[in-house]
Every structure is written in structure tokens, then in C-alpha cells.
Amino acid sequence: AQSVTQLGSHVSVSEGALVLLRCNYSSSVPPYLFWYVQYPNQGLQLLLKYTTGATLVKGINGFEAEFKKSETSFHLTKPSAHMSDAAEYFCAVTDYSSASKIIFGSGTRLSIRP
Amino acid sequence: EAGVTQSPTHLIKTRGQQATLRCSPISGHTSVYWYQQALGLGLQFLLWYDEGEERNRGNFPPRFSGRQFPNYSSELNVNALELEDSALYLCASSLLRQVNTGELFFGEGSRLTVL
């Protein structure tokens, strides 16, 4: 079964600084990989996804993530943080052996300092 | 196109009571998922319905139940409420063929508070 690890439950960066949110998955079989974002008092929305092909995936709001099979990682980055990026970010992977078919990480809360 | 809608937005109940939460999926989506998001616990999978059938359930007691109606809307029922049931309950929908690709469309959630 898959597992997803998001390093750091809370990340704080200054406005304009690089954003790096880490995600590692467990399986040696490349799954489909996702990042979802949850703004305060809202549901989750898809930020970006990797299925096949190019390993660098671009998403909405200037975010991108790179699938690295050798490191079983799918870290999320944004070159310059904006105050509006403050939210909770969830990494997710497909796991066809699980009841839900998709496994979510525990989430990383991103705070932006003025 | 309307997104996933959930009602009520907020619900306050006391211990032992029952709560009913409702979800309308995106038009054309046949699969509905329910998740519990309690403070500090991330997203916990509750139930998955497709075409009116319960496909799978997570590791929750039987007092968490639900159903899916012919129009694909869904209801989550929580009986004998306990304080730890206080959480944001999220509904998500997808086309069945999208389930394997993991792309889910979420509603804004129903916040249940148990006093």
C-alpha cells in the first residue's frame, strides 16, 4: 500500500521568497501524483497533477512540481511567494489497493510573512 | 457549471444526537466521496458511493453511514454523536473513470460541532 509523507506540518516564508513544500511517497511503482490546496474555510481544489510524460508539471497560480522517481518525491515549488498563497497544501497519490483509491498526506500549512 | 455543493454549511448538535449532511455532485459525476477533516488529523476517508452503491468505506464505526440517490446526490448520517465527531466534512465528486486518476472535485464542506 502507498503512503504519503509531507515533511513539515507548517512552513513559513517571507513574501517574495521561494516556496518549497516537500512530498514523498512510498511505492516503487510510479503512481499518479497530485497537489491540492485548501484556502481558509474552503474545500480542496486541484493545484496540479502528474500522470505520465514530462516530470516537471506546472499548475495554477505559478506553482510547479517535479516528479523524481529515483527519490520517490513530488515537491511543490513557487519562485516567489504571495500573501494570497497562504493556505493548506495536500499531496496525494493514487493507491488502487486502498479503499479510497487516493491517499492524502497530512497537509502542510503555508504562512506568508509580509 | 455548478460545482459540488454541500449543506448545511454549519451544524451544531449535542452528544447523542444525529446529524445529516448533504452533497450534490457536479452534473454528470456519478461518484461521491465523503471525508472527515478533524483539527490536526488531515483528511480521513469515510465513504465512497457510485451509481447508488457503496463502493468502499474507511475505518469508521457503523454509526457513520450514508446513501446515494438516483440523481447521484448523497447524504451522510452520523448517529449517536460524540464530541470527537466535531470536524469539517468534505464531499467530493468525480466521474468513475476519473477515480483511478485520483482527480476529485471538492465542495466547501459542512462544519459539524458537537457540544
PDB file of all heavy atoms in Angstrom, chain A residues 65-88:
ATOM      1  N   ALA A  65       5.643  21.395  -9.806  1.00  0.00           N
ATOM      2  CA  ALA A  65       6.166  20.275  -9.028  1.00  0.00           C
ATOM      3  C   ALA A  65       6.932  19.363  -9.964  1.00  0.00           C
ATOM      4  O   ALA A  65       6.602  19.238 -11.146  1.00  0.00           O
ATOM      5  CB  ALA A  65       5.034  19.506  -8.350  1.00  0.00           C
ATOM      6  N   GLU A  66       7.955  18.733  -9.415  1.00  0.00           N
ATOM      7  CA  GLU A  66       8.780  17.837 -10.225  1.00  0.00           C
ATOM      8  C   GLU A  66       8.711  16.424  -9.669  1.00  0.00           C
ATOM      9  O   GLU A  66       8.972  16.196  -8.481  1.00  0.00           O
ATOM     10  CB  GLU A  66      10.229  18.304 -10.257  1.00  0.00           C
ATOM     11  CG  GLU A  66      11.093  17.474 -11.221  1.00  0.00           C
ATOM     12  CD  GLU A  66      12.472  18.056 -11.415  1.00  0.00           C
ATOM     13  OE1 GLU A  66      12.860  18.977 -10.671  1.00  0.00           O
ATOM     14  OE2 GLU A  66      13.176  17.564 -12.333  1.00  0.00           O
ATOM     15  N   PHE A  67       8.347  15.491 -10.532  1.00  0.00           N
ATOM     16  CA  PHE A  67       8.323  14.088 -10.168  1.00  0.00           C
ATOM     17  C   PHE A  67       9.725  13.516 -10.324  1.00  0.00           C
ATOM     18  O   PHE A  67      10.315  13.567 -11.397  1.00  0.00           O
ATOM     19  CB  PHE A  67       7.348  13.326 -11.082  1.00  0.00           C
ATOM     20  CG  PHE A  67       7.445  11.839 -10.980  1.00  0.00           C
ATOM     21  CD1 PHE A  67       7.233  11.195  -9.777  1.00  0.00           C
ATOM     22  CD2 PHE A  67       7.748  11.075 -12.101  1.00  0.00           C
ATOM     23  CE1 PHE A  67       7.317   9.814  -9.698  1.00  0.00           C
ATOM     24  CE2 PHE A  67       7.824   9.692 -12.027  1.00  0.00           C
ATOM     25  CZ  PHE A  67       7.619   9.060 -10.821  1.00  0.00           C
ATOM     26  N   LYS A  68      10.276  13.014  -9.208  1.00  0.00           N
ATOM     27  CA  LYS A  68      11.597  12.395  -9.230  1.00  0.00           C
ATOM     28  C   LYS A  68      11.452  10.951  -8.777  1.00  0.00           C
ATOM     29  O   LYS A  68      11.355  10.666  -7.574  1.00  0.00           O
ATOM     30  CB  LYS A  68      12.571  13.158  -8.331  1.00  0.00           C
ATOM     31  CG  LYS A  68      12.926  14.540  -8.852  1.00  0.00           C
ATOM     32  CD  LYS A  68      14.034  15.186  -8.031  1.00  0.00           C
ATOM     33  CE  LYS A  68      14.443  16.524  -8.627  1.00  0.00           C
ATOM     34  NZ  LYS A  68      15.530  17.171  -7.872  1.00  0.00           N
ATOM     35  N   LYS A  69      11.452  10.055  -9.753  1.00  0.00           N
ATOM     36  CA  LYS A  69      11.236   8.639  -9.466  1.00  0.00           C
ATOM     37  C   LYS A  69      12.314   8.082  -8.548  1.00  0.00           C
ATOM     38  O   LYS A  69      12.042   7.326  -7.610  1.00  0.00           O
ATOM     39  CB  LYS A  69      11.198   7.844 -10.769  1.00  0.00           C
ATOM     40  CG  LYS A  69      10.934   6.373 -10.612  1.00  0.00           C
ATOM     41  CD  LYS A  69      10.898   5.681 -11.963  1.00  0.00           C
ATOM     42  CE  LYS A  69      10.742   4.186 -11.812  1.00  0.00           C
ATOM     43  NZ  LYS A  69      10.735   3.502 -13.141  1.00  0.00           N
ATOM     44  N   SER A  70      13.573   8.472  -8.789  1.00  0.00           N
ATOM     45  CA  SER A  70      14.684   7.925  -8.009  1.00  0.00           C
ATOM     46  C   SER A  70      14.604   8.330  -6.535  1.00  0.00           C
ATOM     47  O   SER A  70      15.102   7.618  -5.664  1.00  0.00           O
ATOM     48  CB  SER A  70      16.017   8.388  -8.602  1.00  0.00           C
ATOM     49  OG  SER A  70      16.098   9.798  -8.569  1.00  0.00           O
ATOM     50  N   GLU A  71      13.954   9.454  -6.286  1.00  0.00           N
ATOM     51  CA  GLU A  71      13.827   9.936  -4.920  1.00  0.00           C
ATOM     52  C   GLU A  71      12.410   9.713  -4.363  1.00  0.00           C
ATOM     53  O   GLU A  71      12.147  10.081  -3.220  1.00  0.00           O
ATOM     54  CB  GLU A  71      14.173  11.431  -4.861  1.00  0.00           C
ATOM     55  CG  GLU A  71      15.598  11.751  -5.291  1.00  0.00           C
ATOM     56  CD  GLU A  71      15.886  13.238  -5.301  1.00  0.00           C
ATOM     57  OE1 GLU A  71      15.037  14.040  -4.830  1.00  0.00           O
ATOM     58  OE2 GLU A  71      16.966  13.625  -5.794  1.00  0.00           O
ATOM     59  N   THR A  72      11.561   9.142  -5.146  1.00  0.00           N
ATOM     60  CA  THR A  72      10.119   8.980  -4.820  1.00  0.00           C
ATOM     61  C   THR A  72       9.570  10.266  -4.211  1.00  0.00           C
ATOM     62  O   THR A  72       8.951  10.271  -3.133  1.00  0.00           O
ATOM     63  CB  THR A  72       9.858   7.771  -3.895  1.00  0.00           C
ATOM     64  OG1 THR A  72      10.572   7.933  -2.663  1.00  0.00           O
ATOM     65  CG2 THR A  72      10.251   6.470  -4.559  1.00  0.00           C
ATOM     66  N   SER A  73       9.832  11.372  -4.919  1.00  0.00           N
ATOM     67  CA  SER A  73       9.414  12.666  -4.393  1.00  0.00           C
ATOM     68  C   SER A  73       8.584  13.425  -5.423  1.00  0.00           C
ATOM     69  O   SER A  73       8.664  13.170  -6.634  1.00  0.00           O
ATOM     70  CB  SER A  73      10.627  13.509  -3.994  1.00  0.00           C
ATOM     71  OG  SER A  73      11.356  13.913  -5.129  1.00  0.00           O
ATOM     72  N   PHE A  74       7.818  14.362  -4.915  1.00  0.00           N
ATOM     73  CA  PHE A  74       6.971  15.218  -5.758  1.00  0.00           C
ATOM     74  C   PHE A  74       6.820  16.546  -5.032  1.00  0.00           C
ATOM     75  O   PHE A  74       5.751  16.903  -4.573  1.00  0.00           O
ATOM     76  CB  PHE A  74       5.621  14.549  -6.015  1.00  0.00           C
ATOM     77  CG  PHE A  74       4.784  15.209  -7.081  1.00  0.00           C
ATOM     78  CD1 PHE A  74       5.263  15.398  -8.369  1.00  0.00           C
ATOM     79  CD2 PHE A  74       3.477  15.614  -6.811  1.00  0.00           C
ATOM     80  CE1 PHE A  74       4.488  15.992  -9.358  1.00  0.00           C
ATOM     81  CE2 PHE A  74       2.692  16.210  -7.795  1.00  0.00           C
ATOM     82  CZ  PHE A  74       3.196  16.396  -9.060  1.00  0.00           C
ATOM     83  N   HIS A  75       7.940  17.276  -4.916  1.00  0.00           N
ATOM     84  CA  HIS A  75       7.955  18.515  -4.151  1.00  0.00           C
ATOM     85  C   HIS A  75       7.299  19.643  -4.932  1.00  0.00           C
ATOM     86  O   HIS A  75       7.463  19.763  -6.145  1.00  0.00           O
ATOM     87  CB  HIS A  75       9.391  18.902  -3.783  1.00  0.00           C
ATOM     88  CG  HIS A  75      10.112  17.869  -2.974  1.00  0.00           C
ATOM     89  ND1 HIS A  75       9.467  16.992  -2.127  1.00  0.00           N
ATOM     90  CD2 HIS A  75      11.443  17.567  -2.905  1.00  0.00           C
ATOM     91  CE1 HIS A  75      10.343  16.200  -1.552  1.00  0.00           C
ATOM     92  NE2 HIS A  75      11.551  16.513  -2.012  1.00  0.00           N
ATOM     93  N   LEU A  76       6.625  20.508  -4.211  1.00  0.00           N
ATOM     94  CA  LEU A  76       5.911  21.653  -4.793  1.00  0.00           C
ATOM     95  C   LEU A  76       6.735  22.922  -4.595  1.00  0.00           C
ATOM     96  O   LEU A  76       7.232  23.164  -3.485  1.00  0.00           O
ATOM     97  CB  LEU A  76       4.549  21.807  -4.113  1.00  0.00           C
ATOM     98  CG  LEU A  76       3.644  22.925  -4.618  1.00  0.00           C
ATOM     99  CD1 LEU A  76       3.119  22.612  -6.009  1.00  0.00           C
ATOM    100  CD2 LEU A  76       2.482  23.147  -3.649  1.00  0.00           C
ATOM    101  N   THR A  77       6.878  23.712  -5.641  1.00  0.00           N
ATOM    102  CA  THR A  77       7.652  24.942  -5.537  1.00  0.00           C
ATOM    103  C   THR A  77       6.924  26.098  -6.203  1.00  0.00           C
ATOM    104  O   THR A  77       6.074  25.928  -7.065  1.00  0.00           O
ATOM    105  CB  THR A  77       9.043  24.796  -6.185  1.00  0.00           C
ATOM    106  OG1 THR A  77       8.873  24.484  -7.569  1.00  0.00           O
ATOM    107  CG2 THR A  77       9.866  23.721  -5.513  1.00  0.00           C
ATOM    108  N   LYS A  78       7.309  27.289  -5.736  1.00  0.00           N
ATOM    109  CA  LYS A  78       6.874  28.529  -6.373  1.00  0.00           C
ATOM    110  C   LYS A  78       8.001  29.523  -6.160  1.00  0.00           C
ATOM    111  O   LYS A  78       8.479  29.679  -5.038  1.00  0.00           O
ATOM    112  CB  LYS A  78       5.570  29.053  -5.776  1.00  0.00           C
ATOM    113  CG  LYS A  78       5.079  30.338  -6.450  1.00  0.00           C
ATOM    114  CD  LYS A  78       3.727  30.766  -5.939  1.00  0.00           C
ATOM    115  CE  LYS A  78       3.267  32.043  -6.647  1.00  0.00           C
ATOM    116  NZ  LYS A  78       1.907  32.465  -6.231  1.00  0.00           N
ATOM    117  N   PRO A  79       8.486  30.160  -7.229  1.00  0.00           N
ATOM    118  CA  PRO A  79       9.676  31.008  -7.099  1.00  0.00           C
ATOM    119  C   PRO A  79       9.499  32.188  -6.141  1.00  0.00           C
ATOM    120  O   PRO A  79      10.427  32.551  -5.430  1.00  0.00           O
ATOM    121  CB  PRO A  79       9.907  31.513  -8.534  1.00  0.00           C
ATOM    122  CG  PRO A  79       9.189  30.541  -9.409  1.00  0.00           C
ATOM    123  CD  PRO A  79       8.011  30.064  -8.618  1.00  0.00           C
ATOM    124  N   SER A  80       8.304  32.774  -6.117  1.00  0.00           N
ATOM    125  CA  SER A  80       8.107  33.981  -5.337  1.00  0.00           C
ATOM    126  C   SER A  80       6.747  33.935  -4.642  1.00  0.00           C
ATOM    127  O   SER A  80       5.705  33.978  -5.307  1.00  0.00           O
ATOM    128  CB  SER A  80       8.198  35.210  -6.256  1.00  0.00           C
ATOM    129  OG  SER A  80       7.940  36.401  -5.536  1.00  0.00           O
ATOM    130  N   ALA A  81       6.760  33.845  -3.330  1.00  0.00           N
ATOM    131  CA  ALA A  81       5.517  33.697  -2.574  1.00  0.00           C
ATOM    132  C   ALA A  81       4.718  34.983  -2.552  1.00  0.00           C
ATOM    133  O   ALA A  81       5.274  36.094  -2.486  1.00  0.00           O
ATOM    134  CB  ALA A  81       5.830  33.264  -1.140  1.00  0.00           C
ATOM    135  N   HIS A  82       3.411  34.825  -2.585  1.00  0.00           N
ATOM    136  CA  HIS A  82       2.484  35.951  -2.488  1.00  0.00           C
ATOM    137  C   HIS A  82       1.611  35.725  -1.278  1.00  0.00           C
ATOM    138  O   HIS A  82       1.345  34.590  -0.882  1.00  0.00           O
ATOM    139  CB  HIS A  82       1.640  36.019  -3.768  1.00  0.00           C
ATOM    140  CG  HIS A  82       0.866  37.288  -3.906  1.00  0.00           C
ATOM    141  ND1 HIS A  82      -0.390  37.450  -3.368  1.00  0.00           N
ATOM    142  CD2 HIS A  82       1.171  38.458  -4.508  1.00  0.00           C
ATOM    143  CE1 HIS A  82      -0.828  38.660  -3.633  1.00  0.00           C
ATOM    144  NE2 HIS A  82       0.097  39.297  -4.332  1.00  0.00           N
ATOM    145  N   MET A  83       1.159  36.822  -0.697  1.00  0.00           N
ATOM    146  CA  MET A  83       0.324  36.709   0.503  1.00  0.00           C
ATOM    147  C   MET A  83      -0.884  35.795   0.260  1.00  0.00           C
ATOM    148  O   MET A  83      -1.319  35.075   1.164  1.00  0.00           O
ATOM    149  CB  MET A  83      -0.160  38.076   0.964  1.00  0.00           C
ATOM    150  CG  MET A  83       0.946  39.024   1.415  1.00  0.00           C
ATOM    151  SD  MET A  83       1.890  38.383   2.810  1.00  0.00           S
ATOM    152  CE  MET A  83       0.663  38.485   4.119  1.00  0.00           C
ATOM    153  N   SER A  84      -1.402  35.806  -0.947  1.00  0.00           N
ATOM    154  CA  SER A  84      -2.591  35.003  -1.256  1.00  0.00           C
ATOM    155  C   SER A  84      -2.300  33.507  -1.312  1.00  0.00           C
ATOM    156  O   SER A  84      -3.231  32.695  -1.446  1.00  0.00           O
ATOM    157  CB  SER A  84      -3.192  35.453  -2.588  1.00  0.00           C
ATOM    158  OG  SER A  84      -2.260  35.285  -3.632  1.00  0.00           O
ATOM    159  N   ASP A  85      -1.014  33.129  -1.224  1.00  0.00           N
ATOM    160  CA  ASP A  85      -0.668  31.700  -1.236  1.00  0.00           C
ATOM    161  C   ASP A  85      -0.855  31.045   0.123  1.00  0.00           C
ATOM    162  O   ASP A  85      -0.736  29.817   0.241  1.00  0.00           O
ATOM    163  CB  ASP A  85       0.788  31.520  -1.678  1.00  0.00           C
ATOM    164  CG  ASP A  85       1.034  31.946  -3.108  1.00  0.00           C
ATOM    165  OD1 ASP A  85       0.115  31.781  -3.944  1.00  0.00           O
ATOM    166  OD2 ASP A  85       2.140  32.454  -3.388  1.00  0.00           O
ATOM    167  N   ALA A  86      -1.132  31.837   1.138  1.00  0.00           N
ATOM    168  CA  ALA A  86      -1.338  31.272   2.475  1.00  0.00           C
ATOM    169  C   ALA A  86      -2.528  30.330   2.450  1.00  0.00           C
ATOM    170  O   ALA A  86      -3.654  30.727   2.133  1.00  0.00           O
ATOM    171  CB  ALA A  86      -1.576  32.392   3.479  1.00  0.00           C
ATOM    172  N   ALA A  87      -2.277  29.069   2.759  1.00  0.00           N
ATOM    173  CA  ALA A  87      -3.304  28.035   2.651  1.00  0.00           C
ATOM    174  C   ALA A  87      -2.712  26.732   3.178  1.00  0.00           C
ATOM    175  O   ALA A  87      -1.548  26.672   3.577  1.00  0.00           O
ATOM    176  CB  ALA A  87      -3.742  27.848   1.198  1.00  0.00           C
ATOM    177  N   GLU A  88      -3.528  25.674   3.156  1.00  0.00           N
ATOM    178  CA  GLU A  88      -3.025  24.340   3.483  1.00  0.00           C
ATOM    179  C   GLU A  88      -2.879  23.575   2.176  1.00  0.00           C
ATOM    180  O   GLU A  88      -3.751  23.632   1.300  1.00  0.00           O
ATOM    181  CB  GLU A  88      -3.985  23.599   4.412  1.00  0.00           C
ATOM    182  CG  GLU A  88      -3.468  22.244   4.874  1.00  0.00           C
ATOM    183  CD  GLU A  88      -3.539  22.077   6.382  1.00  0.00           C
ATOM    184  OE1 GLU A  88      -4.324  22.796   7.009  1.00  0.00           O
ATOM    185  OE2 GLU A  88      -2.805  21.221   6.911  1.00  0.00           O
TER     186      GLU A  88
END
